[in-house]
Structure formats: structure tokens, C-alpha cells
Amino acid sequence: MHVVLRFRATAVVAAAALLMAGCATGPGLAKTHSPRRTVQAGADASSTDPSTKPSAQPNKPVDPAFAAERMRLVNPCALIDKDVLQTVGTPSRYTSSNYTRCSNYMKDKAGKTLNISVDVGYTLTSTDLKNANKQLAGLKSSEQKLTSSCFVTAVTQENPGQALRIQVSTGSGNEAVADTCEPSRKVLEGAVRKAKGNPQKYTPLKGSPVEVDPCAIVDRATLAPVVGASPRSLAFGLHQCSWSGQGASMELEFKTARIPKDGKFDRDSAEVDLGGVKGYQVLKDGPFPTCELVVVRTKDSSDAGEIAEFQVGASKEKTTDRCQAAQAFAKAVLPALPSA
């Protein structure tokens, strides 16, 4: 059964969630504040590069089921379906704030707090891959245990490094689960099994960029004027890609968002014409001034939708017109996206 990308926005600050009954709908499109991992020119490759000296074949998953083109359409909530969560407790409502993350704030079998989240296509650094020295569900795996939470990953691709990741966090005092890694392993085993099977998938709305590989859609001619003929390319997750070189960087990300009534994603945003398509840009100052340009791709009656975000940044020493470059970037890419 395929699931249509239908979105509803709520008024919850910073992480509004779509309630999902049995994973029967798509992800919520409320604006979230997940950490940005833009790589500035000259940044240390070892800090973000999934594999500084990769030996695995590029873009080859450890199993065809985990191919990026397939996983972009997998509804993450379907990977932690109720039959998976019931192995560790009593599921509650599903919440999803982007294409590849889903959470369930539930209770364990003793009634204690057990908050579970799954991330699909989670980016791994070279250090993460090195630390994946365990085995879980037939895949290389790693664990990171903190005071009240546990992160367990199963490597689905080595070059660049990607994984299915489960995060389990608990409460404090009498609400605390003693070992958060035990339910993490169980849920991840179930998620891997679901991913290898026939999980529910999104049926993209007209104009949706959810299936598009952001790293593959941008050609060298578009990149060269800003980052040179041979920029360093880095993929983050399944829907974000950046390029850096010559003291500058470019980034393209497809994501879900709450669409403001006035179109301004930032109070200082200015509307620009991209050849018959509206864009909203803002120049962010700082040590690495960056122009952010947002183009709405889908929008429903509740103002929830999907966007393409283009960024061009450069060191202060460079005289690059960052917003003009961002507009050229968008104009080059938009014709290759699915028609709205």
C-alpha cells in the first residue's frame, strides 16, 4: 500500500508534528530546527566526510533494499510500525517532521517513558564507520550510550556512509528505563526487517522533489563560477548536498516546511523573480556570509508543503554577489525538477 504525501501543519513551536494513525499518512511539514551540516570551504574533511579514503564502491548499498532511490520514498514511520514497537512497549501517536525521521513517544512494558525515533539515510562520518564494529540484523552496527538515551546504527552504505539509526531516550527517576540500548537494538532489528520487505512508501504530489538526488541534479557548469571546476561534493542524508572550493560553498536541500502566508521564511526575506517562479531570499551575515534562497514546490490548504533551498556562501574576502549566484543556481536547477 502506497501512502500519499499529504501534509498538515500544527502550531507546536519548532517541531510541529503530524499525527499518524498506523502510518497511514505522510510526514508533517512543520518548520523544524535540525542541525545544519553545511561545509564551508576549507573545512576539515575528516569532520564530516563519510570516508576520507573510501574503499567501498561509491553509492553502492550493502543490500539493494537500502538503495538511496528506494529509501527516499520509504515512509520512516512504516519502519517502526506498531508491531515493531510492541516488542518493547505500548506505542502512542507517531510524529514526523521531515521526509526521513519519525518518532513515537511511548511507554515501555512497565509503563516507563520510552521515546523512540528512527532516521533513514543517516549520514555517517569516517569515524562512525570505523566504530561500527558490532553486528545487528546482518549489518555492521554501532552503539552510543548516554545518560538517558542510546543511539544504535546499522550501516546501509559505506561510501558515502549511511545508516538506519534508532534513538531511544527515557525519563528521569521512576520514569527512567534502566538500559535504553536494549530496546534500541530490538527496534532497529525490526526497522531493518521492514526496510528489506515492502514498507509503505510516499506517492509524491505533483512538483514534489522527494525523489530527486540533490547531488546528481547539479552539473559542473552550474557550480564552476562559484566553487571552481573541481569542487568537493558532500551528501548529507538523502535530500541535501553541498559543494565547496575556492573559499566558497553551494548547497541544495529538499525538505518539508510550513509555508508562511506572506511567503517570507525569514522576516528579512525579499521576493525575487526566477523566470516566472517566485523565490524568497535573505543574505545572512557572519564570518562566512551566505545567501539563502527558498522556492516552494508544493503547498496544501493548511500551508504545509515542500521546498527547495539553495545556498551560496563565501568568505568575507570574496566579492562574490552571493544572492545573484544563488538565483543563477536556482534558475539552472529548477527546470530539472518535477513539474509543479
Side-chain angles (χ1 to χ4, degrees):
M1 176 180 177
H2 290 265
V3 57
V4 177
L5 275 169
R6 297 194 184 281
F7 312 114
R8 287 173 283 171
T10 66
V12 180
V13 177
L18 175 68
L19 304 183
M20 304 179 69
C23 301
T25 56
L29 291 187
K31 185 175 182 180
T32 61
H33 297 284
S34 52
R36 298 200 62 79
R37 290 178 284 181
T38 301
V39 177
Q40 296 179 4
D44 180 7
S46 63
S47 65
T48 52
D49 194 342
S51 195
T52 305
K53 293 182 179 179
S55 57
Q57 184 176 336
N59 301 312
K60 184 176 181 179
V62 298
D63 185 292
F66 301 118
E69 60 269 20
R70 182 175 186 268
M71 297 306 289
R72 284 190 189 96
L73 279 176
V74 170
N75 183 339
C77 294
L79 301 185
I80 53 171
D81 208 347
K82 287 188 176 180
D83 63 329
V84 173
L85 297 184
Q86 284 170 349
T87 63
V88 296
T90 304
S92 185
R93 298 179 298 184
Y94 289 87
T95 66
S96 181
S97 56
N98 62 50
Y99 291 132
T100 57
R101 182 176 175 86
C102 182
S103 303
N104 196 294
Y105 303 102
M106 52 181 282
K107 300 289 185 180
D108 77 347
K109 293 181 178 180
K112 296 182 177 182
T113 300
L114 201 64
N115 300 327
I116 299 176
S117 296
V118 61
D119 289 288
V120 177
Y122 183 80
T123 296
L124 299 175
T125 65
S126 54
T127 301
D128 293 331
L129 287 169
K130 184 178 180 180
N131 291 338
N133 52 16
K134 300 177 183 295
Q135 286 283 323
L136 188 148
L139 303 176
K140 291 181 181 178
S141 176
S142 66
E143 294 181 9
Q144 181 183 15
K145 192 176 191 308
L146 304 178
T147 302
S148 60
S149 61
C150 182
F151 300 83
V152 181
T153 62
V155 178
T156 56
Q157 182 175 284
E158 295 190 21
N159 181 18
Q162 292 181 351
L164 280 178
R165 186 182 77 153
I166 295 293
Q167 174 187 352
V168 171
S169 59
T170 189
S172 58
N174 293 333
E175 283 292 308
V177 173
D179 181 6
T180 51
C181 286
E182 182 180 0
S184 296
R185 294 184 209 107
K186 286 185 178 180
V187 172
L188 184 54
E189 286 177 344
V192 170
R193 184 180 69 252
K194 291 281 187 181
K196 287 184 174 181
N198 185 30
Q200 288 181 324
K201 298 180 178 66
Y202 302 133
T203 300
L205 298 176
K206 189 175 181 181
S208 171
V210 65
E211 293 183 87
V212 178
D213 179 350
C215 291
I217 200 171
V218 183
D219 59 30
R220 287 179 179 270
T222 300
L223 300 170
V226 177
V227 293
S230 302
R232 183 163 59 103
S233 173
L234 289 175
F236 296 109
L238 300 174
H239 303 280
Q240 181 182 359
C241 193
S242 71
W243 300 265
S244 61
Q246 300 186 157
S249 70
M250 300 173 71
E251 181 181 303
L252 172 60
E253 183 177 9
F254 304 122
K255 58 186 178 181
T256 59
R258 177 73 177 269
I259 311 300
K261 292 288 187 183
D262 61 1
K264 292 189 174 184
F265 292 83
D266 185 284
R267 65 181 181 181
D268 296 322
S269 291
E271 182 180 317
V272 294
D273 182 6
L274 300 172
V277 176
K278 288 182 181 179
Y280 298 88
Q281 71 181 29
V282 61
L283 181 62
K284 300 291 184 69
D285 201 2
F288 200 79
T290 300
C291 186
E292 300 177 358
L293 174 61
V294 175
V295 179
V296 176
R297 300 304 298 168
T298 69
K299 177 183 174 182
D300 70 9
S301 58
S302 63
D303 296 324
E306 299 165 271
I307 63 174
E309 183 175 83
F310 302 85
Q311 292 194 32
V312 173
S315 59
K316 278 189 173 290
E317 295 73 26
K318 294 186 74 70
T319 58
T320 304
D321 186 327
R322 295 156 181 80
C323 284
Q324 185 178 36
Q327 290 177 36
F329 186 14
K331 288 178 181 178
V333 171
L334 289 173
L337 296 181
S339 299

